[in-house]
Amino acid sequence: MTSFSVGLLGHGTVGAAFHELLDSRANAIEAATGQRPEISGVLTRSRGAFDEILDGADLIVEVMGGLDPARDYVLRAMDAGRHVVTANKQLLSQHGDELWSCARENGVQLRFEAAVAGIVPVIRVLQETLAAAHVDRLHGIVNGTTNYILTRMAETGASYEDALADAQRLGYAEADPTEDVNGMDAAAKMAILARLAFNTPVHLDDVRYEGIEHLTGDDMAYAQELGLGLKLIGTAERIDAGVSVRVHPAFLYAAHPLASVSGPFNAVTIESQSITEITLSGPGAGGPQTASAVLGDVVSAMIPPASTPPTPARLPIVGDVESAFYLHLEVADRPGVLAQIAQLLGLQGASIRSVVQRGLGENARLVMVTHPILESRFYAAVDLIAGLDFMRARPRAIRVIDEEFV
Ligand SMILES: NC(=O)c1ccc[n+]([C@@H]2O[C@H](COP(=O)([O-])OP(=O)(O)OC[C@H]3O[C@@H](n4cnc5c(N)ncnc54)[C@H](OP(=O)(O)O)[C@@H]3O)[C@@H](O)[C@H]2O)c1
């Protein structure tokens, strides 16, 4: 029997589940590859020594998380000629160039299916199935915590705070959920996806992101009347000769493939003229699910490797993009208000697609959806609207993904 030694860095939620899964699947993997995988060493804060683990390993699995010492260990493993499988999106989105260069120089594989959308096989599809497609755009729900919170708010009318507390109680949100709810976790994943989709370096710093902390149940209720559902959406798209990568709350019409993705699930829609559209969805996190993606990468690395592609050219990052918008306005209930608002929007080139109006005694609430407009022009109009004397509160604006597939 030939054995294949796996050095395991990290033995927490994912690491422990991976260890168990590898042991239970070792026979099947041996039958498929001719080699029997075994864990040859484990590193935690209280157990194991990295150098010894590296010496005894054919491949290193990094499921520690964080940047340091994970970056150092992954680089050292590849310099020593070992393939590396990691689930670490922060590391890849902030040090990806250095890591991919190191893999190429050493002729080893760096695999990372579990870093984006858990078990949903989007990395593999972009790298292999769609390797020859010209991808135009991706939309993703790539953070299960925020998708659970927004689903809960929409279905029960719960406030953001109550929905977050539910998510924490059920284990869908960490005790410190900051990087999930502020959009940074999703931004790291979108940076990785954009790099693969467009073959250009994309750093976390290139991704603009907004979170869901300021959303209200009120916005959801009005949006439902307009046939819209609210999600935290990551977008990566080609614009002219550049790319734009961003994460923000966005409304979707019910016909959009991501509109029905609810609870802690993740999904990614890939658009290309040659393929129309593919949507992949499934559990975005969880120990056993993530471990399964990590083990899939280990098995792939045991089979003779594909070569690591050359360093891609950098495409410009586009800052200002077009979007349709949902606009929520509290105004004094007097004649001519809607006309003035429509005029200010119109001067910037925005036209209104639909409006809901409610009287509230002396005041009124106007909720509208615009047709697509450059974001800078829309916000210029909103700044002018905010200064009008009949406004009773700051306008609230949320992007709308204004497209349907047939
Ligand atoms: N959890 C998920 O559902 C999920 C999904 C997708 C991707 N991921 C990614 O998978 C990775 C691991 O996540 P996790 O949830 O399994 O984390 P976790 O439960 O916190 O486990 C981390 C493990 O790494 C060890 N570790 C951390 N810092 C270390 C250091 N400086 N030296 C030695 N060992 C160290 C910890 O050791 P101790 O046991 O001694 O503390 C622990 O065993 C992260 O990159 C995460 O983003 C997780």
Side-chain angles (χ1 to χ4, degrees):
M1 175 194 80
T2 318
S3 65
F4 185 89
S5 303
V6 176
L8 180 56
L9 311 183
H11 208 262
T13 306
V14 178
F18 170 76
H19 197 161
E20 200 180 314
L21 186 65
L22 184 141
D23 286 348
S24 71
R25 300 296 300 155
N27 286 344
I29 296 169
E30 186 182 2
T33 66
Q35 299 177 89
R36 186 176 185 81
E38 59 182 28
I39 302 290
S40 54
V42 174
L43 184 75
T44 69
R45 289 189 182 87
S46 57
R47 171 182 174 193
F50 174 72
D51 289 308
E52 269 174 38
I53 292 170
L54 181 59
D55 271 351
D58 294 310
L59 175 150
I60 291 291
V61 166
E62 185 277 305
V63 283
M64 301 164 55
L67 299 180
D68 294 310
R71 170 178 161 270
D72 181 46
Y73 290 167
V74 168
L75 288 170
R76 281 166 62 191
M78 293 193 293
D79 278 334
R82 308 299 194 277
H83 301 313
V84 170
V85 175
T86 177
N88 193 330
K89 64 227 136 194
Q90 296 302 350
L91 182 63
L92 291 165
S93 66
Q94 294 181 58
H95 294 286
D97 287 347
E98 180 186 29
L99 296 172
W100 278 295
S101 295
C102 181
R104 195 168 37 256
E105 280 159 20
N106 290 293
V108 298
Q109 295 184 52
L110 175 62
R111 291 188 160 266
F112 48 93
E113 186 68 74
V116 181
I119 185 60
V120 182
V122 59
I123 301 294
R124 210 166 279 252
V125 167
L126 285 172
Q127 282 182 322
E128 295 175 20
T129 319
L130 298 181
H134 181 86
V135 176
D136 296 309
R137 180 160 54 188
L138 304 173
H139 283 310
I141 294 175
V142 290
N143 182 277
T145 304
T146 46
N147 204 49
Y148 174 82
I149 293 170
L150 295 177
T151 303
R152 186 99 188 125
M153 288 171 72
E155 286 178 356
T156 67
S159 66
Y160 165 74
E161 289 75 15
D162 288 346
L164 171 59
D166 282 342
Q168 286 173 318
R169 197 167 36 76
L170 293 168
Y172 294 136
E174 315 243 342
D176 176 3
T178 312
E179 288 189 6
D180 290 315
V181 299
N182 73 8
M184 184 178 166
D185 174 88
K189 293 167 180 168
M190 291 310 298
I192 297 169
L193 292 184
R195 181 189 175 97
L196 296 180
F198 307 134
N199 192 31
T200 186
V202 179
H203 190 279
L204 176 62
D205 293 345
D206 296 323
V207 185
R208 285 186 296 134
Y209 60 89
E210 291 168 28
I212 64 164
E213 310 99 306
H214 306 301
L215 298 175
T216 67
D218 202 19
D219 287 321
M220 297 212 168
Y222 280 100
Q224 273 169 5
E225 283 190 43
L226 295 164
L228 297 166
L230 191 55
K231 303 286 181 192
L232 184 69
I233 298 288
T235 300
E237 64 183 337
R238 292 184 195 271
I239 295 180
D240 302 324
V243 297
S244 164
V245 191
R246 51 197 194 269
V247 171
H248 49 64
F251 284 113
L252 300 173
Y253 286 97
H256 193 282
L258 298 185
S260 58
V261 177
S262 60
F265 267 49
N266 281 194
V268 178
T269 296
I270 306 168
E271 295 168 46
S272 161
Q273 282 197 343
S274 52
I275 59 163
T276 314
E277 177 266 324
I278 290 176
T279 300
L280 301 159
S281 71
Q289 293 84 349
T290 309
S292 175
V294 173
L295 186 57
D297 274 350
V298 170
V299 173
S300 295
M302 290 168 71
I303 297 164
S307 61
T308 309
T311 311
R314 184 175 292 280
L315 299 176
I317 300 291
V318 177
D320 201 9
V321 297
E322 277 205 343
S323 177
F325 280 90
Y326 158 101
L327 182 60
H328 182 133
L329 303 171
E330 308 272 337
V331 299
D333 195 1
R334 36 168 129 123
V337 164
L338 181 57
Q340 268 196 66
I341 290 166
Q343 191 194 13
L344 285 177
L345 287 167
L347 284 172
Q348 291 295 340
S351 58
I352 298 170
R353 172 174 168 158
S354 48
V355 185
V356 175
Q357 181 163 4
R358 289 272 180 291
L360 303 166
E362 307 250 294
N363 294 333
R365 186 169 291 156
L366 290 175
V367 176
M368 59 187 75
V369 174
T370 71
H371 287 289
I373 173 177
L374 264 186
E375 291 188 4
S376 57
R377 301 196 69 172
F378 175 78
Y379 283 115
V382 169
D383 282 347
L384 292 175
I385 291 169
L388 294 171
D389 66 345
F390 54 70
M391 291 301 298
R392 294 291 172 260
R394 276 277 328 154
R396 294 210 303 269
I398 298 174
R399 294 165 186 84
V400 175
I401 294 186
D402 189 17
E403 63 191 43
E404 290 169 17
F405 298 98
V406 283

